[in-house]
Amino acid sequence: MMHAVPTGGPDLLHAGWYTTEELAQLVKVDPSTLRRWRTQEPIQGPPFVRLSDRMTLYSVDDVRTWLQSRRKAPEGS
């Protein structure tokens, strides 16, 4: 049986995922920082998917977009 792939948005199923610990290591923060960002009002950090109380994942594409949105270029460049 073939399943239709949704169009118009990110392919979250096949795009790749980071765990909290993996993302923390990549962006050089403690995992508790990512957990704190997820519970702040308003929510901070990259978008996430909470699969259960113990498992939260971050889409590679969402992390890339979030990092790009935080990038600051020097004046005049």
Side-chain angles (χ1 to χ4, degrees), residues 12-72:
L12 292 179
L13 189 58
H14 301 100
W17 295 91
Y18 296 123
T19 64
T20 298
E21 291 73 20
E22 290 169 335
L23 181 57
Q25 186 174 20
L26 284 170
V27 298
K28 301 188 183 345
V29 299
D30 193 88
S32 65
T33 300
L34 291 172
R35 291 184 192 101
R36 187 179 68 249
W37 288 350
R38 292 193 306 253
T39 60
Q40 287 181 324
E41 287 294 329
I43 293 174
Q44 304 293 311
F48 59 90
V49 174
R50 187 177 312 274
L51 296 178
S52 71
D53 289 343
R54 299 181 141 258
M55 176 61 75
T56 301
L57 297 176
Y58 296 86
S59 160
V60 171
D61 289 339
D62 284 344
V63 170
R64 186 178 295 120
T65 299
W66 175 74
L67 286 171
Q68 186 67 33
S69 75
R70 302 191 61 80
R71 187 171 181 267
K72 304 292 182 204

